[in-house]
Amino acid sequence: MVVQIVKVMFPLSRLHVTKSFPLMRFMSSLSSDSSVRSLLYKEYGEPVEVLQFGDSALGKLEGNQVLVKWLLSPVNPADINTIQGKYPSKPPLPAVPGNEGVGEVVAVGTNVQNFSIGDRVLPNGNNLGTWRTKGNYKAEDLLKVPSDIDPLAASVLKVNPCTAYRMLRDFVQLKPGDTVIQNGGNSAVGQIVIQLCRIWDYKTVSVVRDRPDILKLKEQLKELGANEVLTEDEARKTDLFKSKKLAVPKLALNCVSGQNALEVSRQLANGGVMVTYGGMSREPVTVPTASLIFKDLTFKGFWMSAWYKKHYGSKEQIDMINEIAQLFKEKKLVVPPHKLVPLNNYREAIVNTLNAGGKTGLKYILDMTNV
C-alpha cells in the first residue's frame, strides 16, 4: 500500500485532501458490505504487541444510532497510553482504540433527528474507537462539525486545539500584549498555542529541547507566530524579561515536567500560574517553597477529557468547536506537520509516536479511506 506523506506549514487548501464520497457508494456498501476493518486489542500492553488488524461484522443499526464511515484519525500519545493500560480512562476489553478523528454519516436510525447523511462528525466521548473504517454510534456520542472544513483539520480538532484553547482561556485573564511561556513548543499543542496567541495578540516564548537542526525548528515556530524560541539552556540564562523586551509571563504551560518545568516556572511573574497538561520527561513537577511563599505562584493541572465530561453537550463546548473550526477554515490555524498512513500500516505510526522523545512535531494520522 502506498503511504501518503504530507508535511505542512502552509494553508490547508493546497493539500487537496478533501475527497468526494458519493451517497450511492455508501448506500451500496450498506447493502453489500457489512464488514468493518479495524484495529483491536484484547489485553493491555505495548501497542505493537497487542494490536490486531482484521475484519469484523457490522452490527445492526439501532433506532438511536448513526452509522459513521471514519475518514482520518490521528495517533495521540494518550491513545498509546490507553492501549498500554496506563491512562486513567480505560475502555472495557476487547476494544477498538482511537479517541479522535473525523467521519461522515452514511446512515441514521429511525429515531435520530439531529444528523443527516453526509454530515461530518467528531467523536463526542471517550473510547468510542475511531481506528476502524466504520461503526454504529449513539447519536449523543457524536458532534457535528462544519462540512466545509478540511478533513485534515477536522480530524485533529477535538484534542490538541481545544486543549490549547482552554488553557489560554480558563486560568489567567490575559490581555493583548501579555506573555505566555511554554515548554514543548514544537508539540502539536504547543504549535496551536503559538498560533492562538498570535491571533489573540498575546506574546509567546517557547522552550524546546536542543537538537542538531535547532535553527530550522526555531525558524518554523517563528513563522507560526512565536516571539521567541529558546533551548532549555537558553531559557535558564535568558534576560528577555529582566530587560523588559517582553512582559514577564503571567501564564506558563507545561507538558514536559521535571527540571524543564522548574526552570520555566522561575520565569513567571508574581501571582503567575503554571498549568501542567503532560509529563514527557516522566519526572515529577517540583515546586520550590519560595515560589509558593514569596512569588505566590499557582500550580494547576488540566485534562481535556475531564473538561469534556464536565461540559458535555454545553453551549460552551459547541461554541469552542465552531470557533476553532472557523479559524481552520480561514487558515488562521494550520495543521502541524504530519504524515498520513493507511490503517493497515498502523505500526509505522505507533512506533514513531512512541519513539518521538519529545523532539519532533510530526503527527501521524491514520487514513481509513486507504486500507
Side-chain angles (χ1 to χ4, degrees):
M1 193 69 64
V2 177
V3 175
Q4 301 179 38
I5 302 178
V6 186
K7 291 187 179 182
V8 296
M9 293 300 292
F10 43 78
L12 292 172
S13 58
R14 299 185 190 177
L15 296 176
H16 304 294
V17 175
T18 305
K19 301 177 182 179
S20 174
F21 297 96
L23 174 59
M24 289 304 296
R25 169 181 166 187
F26 285 116
M27 296 307 293
S28 173
S29 71
L30 290 176
S31 60
S32 62
D33 182 10
S34 60
S35 66
V36 178
R37 309 205 80 185
S38 69
L39 293 174
L40 184 75
Y41 60 106
K42 300 178 180 179
E43 60 181 331
Y44 295 115
E46 291 307 310
V48 292
E49 298 174 3
V50 300
L51 282 178
Q52 303 172 16
F53 176 77
D55 295 338
S56 60
L58 181 66
K60 178 183 176 182
L61 186 68
E62 303 294 337
N64 65 339
Q65 289 185 324
V66 175
L67 173 57
V68 176
K69 180 178 179 66
W70 293 109
L71 308 177
L72 300 169
S73 180
V75 177
N76 293 312
D79 296 315
I80 305 295
N81 294 152
T82 299
I83 298 168
Q84 292 170 328
K86 299 178 180 179
Y87 206 62
S89 178
K90 294 182 175 66
L93 301 179
V96 174
N99 277 303
E100 192 178 24
V102 62
E104 187 165 345
V105 173
V106 296
V108 295
T110 55
N111 299 329
V112 175
Q113 303 294 325
N114 55 337
F115 290 100
S116 301
I117 292 174
D119 284 346
R120 289 283 171 84
V121 295
L122 310 179
N124 192 28
N126 291 330
N127 303 313
L128 294 186
T130 57
W131 293 3
R132 64 177 108 193
T133 53
K134 54 191 172 184
N136 295 326
Y137 301 88
K138 292 180 181 179
E140 63 201 54
D141 289 333
L142 299 171
L143 186 66
K144 194 181 301 185
V145 69
S147 59
D148 55 357
I149 181 177
D150 189 289
L152 273 171
S155 74
V156 301
L157 193 157
K158 180 192 169 189
V159 177
N160 295 321
C162 292
T163 298
Y165 183 103
R166 296 261 56 101
M167 291 194 299
L168 291 172
R169 289 293 201 203
D170 293 350
F171 293 91
V172 175
Q173 291 187 340
L174 297 170
K175 62 182 185 297
D178 283 345
T179 302
V180 176
I181 188 169
Q182 65 171 341
N183 54 31
N186 59 313
S187 67
V189 171
Q191 292 183 51
I192 298 295
V193 166
I194 289 170
Q195 294 176 76
L196 287 177
C197 285
R198 181 199 65 218
I199 293 167
W200 295 335
D201 198 24
Y202 309 148
K203 307 300 181 183
T204 55
V205 176
S206 292
V207 180
V208 299
R209 301 180 189 187
D210 203 357
R211 66 205 68 206
D213 61 344
I214 186 63
L215 294 180
K216 181 180 178 181
L217 175 60
K218 287 186 175 186
E219 181 180 351
Q220 289 174 342
L221 296 184
K222 287 184 176 182
E223 286 177 357
L224 286 179
N227 296 91
E228 295 289 343
V229 182
L230 307 173
T231 64
E232 292 174 323
D233 186 57
E234 290 169 340
R236 283 191 289 269
K237 303 172 183 177
T238 188
D239 65 350
L240 278 173
F241 312 118
K242 289 182 180 179
S243 67
K244 298 185 178 180
K245 182 177 179 180
L246 290 174
V248 182
K250 296 180 179 179
L251 177 65
L253 306 178
N254 166 44
C255 68
V256 178
S257 298
Q259 184 66 28
N260 183 303
L262 175 61
E263 297 297 338
V264 168
S265 72
R266 285 173 173 162
Q267 305 299 335
L268 278 169
N270 284 3
V273 177
M274 170 173 274
V275 180
T276 293
Y277 66 102
M280 290 191 296
S281 68
R282 298 183 180 180
E283 297 174 355
V285 175
T286 303
V287 181
T289 303
S291 294
L292 299 175
I293 297 176
F294 304 118
K295 293 189 70 176
D296 192 27
L297 298 186
T298 300
F299 294 80
K300 294 189 174 183
F302 180 74
W303 185 26
M304 193 69 227
S305 294
W307 189 95
Y308 275 126
K309 185 176 182 179
K310 183 178 180 179
H311 297 84
Y312 185 86
S314 67
K315 182 179 183 298
E316 191 174 9
Q317 180 194 25
I318 302 302
D319 288 347
M320 173 182 65
I321 294 293
N322 287 337
E323 182 178 349
I324 294 173
Q326 184 64 27
L327 291 174
F328 274 117
K329 182 180 175 181
E330 295 173 356
K331 300 175 177 60
K332 293 179 180 179
L333 285 180
V334 297
V335 177
H338 59 275
K339 181 176 181 178
L340 296 180
V341 297
L343 179 62
N344 57 335
N345 196 30
Y346 68 93
R347 288 179 179 270
E348 177 185 357
I350 295 293
V351 169
N352 284 293
T353 299
L354 280 169
N355 295 336
K359 291 190 176 182
T360 178
L362 188 63
K363 192 172 191 65
Y364 285 82
I365 300 176
L366 298 174
D367 183 358
M368 263 65 70
T369 69
N370 183 17
V371 181

